[in-house]
Structure formats: C-alpha cells, structure tokens
C-alpha cells in the first residue's frame, strides 16, 4: 500500500477519500495532498468544461526582465505572449516576426490530457506550459486550482502539481530562449549591437562584463 503523511491522511479523512484507492505520484508511490484532492473529484471533466466557459478578467502583475536590466512592467496574467509584450515595453522588441508562446503558435495543437488547446487561453501564462503538458484531467484540475503565487516554489515538488510544473518549466525555458534570440536579432544591414543597445537590453553590469571579457581576450 502506498504511504502517506499524517497531514495527507487527515486531508483524505476530511474529503472522504479512501487512501487505498489513491494512486500516489510521489517517490515510491507516496501519496501527496494533490493526489488526495484529485481523487476527491472522480471526474474533473465537467468542472474543466465549466471553466472554459468563463472568460478571465484582466489581472496585472509586475514582471522583471529575465535577461537583466529595466524596471518591472505590468503584464496581464492572461497575456497570450507575455515575454514579447515585456520586451516591447522595455526596448521596443526585436527585429522581424516575434516568437510565439509555444513553438507551434501562441496555443499548441494538442494537450497531453486531451483538453481542448483553445482552453489554455483562459489559463494564466505562469502555468500555461504546465497545463499543456499535464497528462490527465484530474491532475490538470488540481494544477488549475493552484494559485499563481504558489506555483514557482512548487516546481519539482514530489507530487502531481510539482511534476506538472516541472514539465512546464522546459517549455518556458525554450520560449524564453526564443524570445531572447529575437530581442538581439538585427536587420540585414546591421552586423552587431552597439554598446548602448547591449546595455539597454541586458543591463549595465552585463555590458561591463562583456567589455572586461573583450579586454582579457
């Protein structure tokens, strides 16, 4: 039988969940709070369907540049392409067509759970890659109940939500890499960034490090 902590057992008792019927997603099949809460909802599909009919309201949060430099910019939780919006607010963005949130577009063609991809437009961008990669509807339901503020510290946690966020982290890193490359893309008649452009894109400290590396070379 899968193991569970006393806290998890208490939550299972509160929700009327039989631990013997719960599949643990932790190490060695250990049962987490997320597993118990998912099991308390034998069918997440009706609730997920209802969620797709709700249009999210705008919710702005300050976002710092992941590339360094610049002041925080207010970005909507439901922005379809938040890093491109951020880059344009900071320095006008890059040259050419900007990258999309997913490699195939701002929404993916499919999701791992079978949830309709267009439903992801109603998912905050902070967990959108994770939602697309979550393999089952019950796990997806638990993820969607996770407050955005709590998501980052849970990446890699040994439970359903942590596993989902870990899968989503790969998609986010790949997206961030594509946007970073776009930010420094130059028109055909330009060969390199000026010192001022470098500092504006990456911050003064980054510019100093680059100069120091050139001098040492």
């Amino acid at each position: 039988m899968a193991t569970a902590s006393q806290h998890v057992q208490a939550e299972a008792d509160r929700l009327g969940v039989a631990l013997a019927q719960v599949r643990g997603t932790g190490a060695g099949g250990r049962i987490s709070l997320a597993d118990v809460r998912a099991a308390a909802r034998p069918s997440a599909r009706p609730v997920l369907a209802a969620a797709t009919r709700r249009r999210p309201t705008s919710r702005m949060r300050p976002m710092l540049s992941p590339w360094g430099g610049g002041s925080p910019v207010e970005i909507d939780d439901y922005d379809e392409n938040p890093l491109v919006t951020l880059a344009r607010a900071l320095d006008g963005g890059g040259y050419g067509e900007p990258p999309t949130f997913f490699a195939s577009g701002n929404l993916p063609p499919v999701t791992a759970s079978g949830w309709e991809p267009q439903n992801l437009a109603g998912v905050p961008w902070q967990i959108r890659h994770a939602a697309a990669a979550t393999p089952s509807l019950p796990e997806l339901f638990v993820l969607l109940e996770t407050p955005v503020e709590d998501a980052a510290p849970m990446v890699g946690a040994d439970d359903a939500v942590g596993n989902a966020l870990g899968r989503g982290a790969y998609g986010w890193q790949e997206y961030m890499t594509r946007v970073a490359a776009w930010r420094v893309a130059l028109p055909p008649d330009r060969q390199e960034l000026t010192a001022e452009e470098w500092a504006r894109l990456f911050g003064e400290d980054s510019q100093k490090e680059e100069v120091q590396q050139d001098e040492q070379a």
Side-chain angles (χ1 to χ4, degrees):
M1 179 179 174
T3 59
S5 69
Q6 290 184 346
H7 184 50
V8 170
Q9 290 174 351
E11 181 72 353
D13 291 341
R14 186 181 72 82
L15 296 175
V17 173
L19 288 179
Q21 305 301 318
V22 178
R23 181 178 66 86
T25 60
R30 189 173 179 82
I31 298 171
S32 68
L33 281 174
D35 297 328
V36 169
R37 289 166 183 167
R41 304 171 182 91
S43 176
R45 190 177 295 274
V47 182
L48 289 169
T52 66
R53 294 193 291 270
R54 296 196 302 266
R55 295 195 59 83
T57 57
S58 179
R59 187 167 56 195
M60 309 298 289
R61 297 178 194 270
M63 184 179 184
L64 283 168
S65 168
W67 310 288
S71 301
V73 175
E74 293 285 319
I75 303 292
D76 192 341
D77 275 359
Y78 300 99
D79 194 302
E80 67 177 6
N81 204 342
L83 287 183
V84 169
T85 299
L86 176 67
R88 284 172 168 163
L90 290 172
D91 47 55
Y95 174 78
E97 191 70 19
T100 53
F101 192 76
F102 292 90
S104 56
N106 282 330
L107 294 175
V110 297
T111 67
S113 66
W115 205 36
E116 290 296 327
Q118 62 265 30
N119 296 337
L120 293 171
V123 175
W125 61 260
Q126 294 93 333
I127 60 172
R128 199 175 298 150
H129 281 107
T134 301
S136 72
L137 289 175
E139 289 174 302
L140 177 59
F141 183 85
V142 175
L143 174 66
L144 296 181
E145 281 198 322
T146 302
V148 167
E149 300 85 357
D150 298 341
M154 298 175 70
V155 174
D158 195 15
D159 58 24
V161 173
N163 290 335
L165 292 170
R167 286 187 290 266
Y170 173 82
W172 174 258
Q173 289 294 329
E174 189 271 339
Y175 168 54
M176 191 164 63
T177 299
R178 289 186 287 111
V179 176
W182 168 71
R183 288 185 76 221
V184 299
L186 295 171
D189 59 343
R190 295 278 307 282
Q191 297 300 313
E192 62 183 18
L193 295 168
T194 65
E196 291 76 12
E197 287 171 329
W198 187 279
R200 176 169 51 82
L201 288 169
F202 303 109
E204 293 292 341
D205 291 340
S206 177
Q207 171 64 12
K208 292 175 183 177
E209 291 171 3
E210 181 74 10
V211 171
Q212 290 171 353
Q213 289 173 4
D214 290 343
E215 291 176 348
Q216 292 172 359

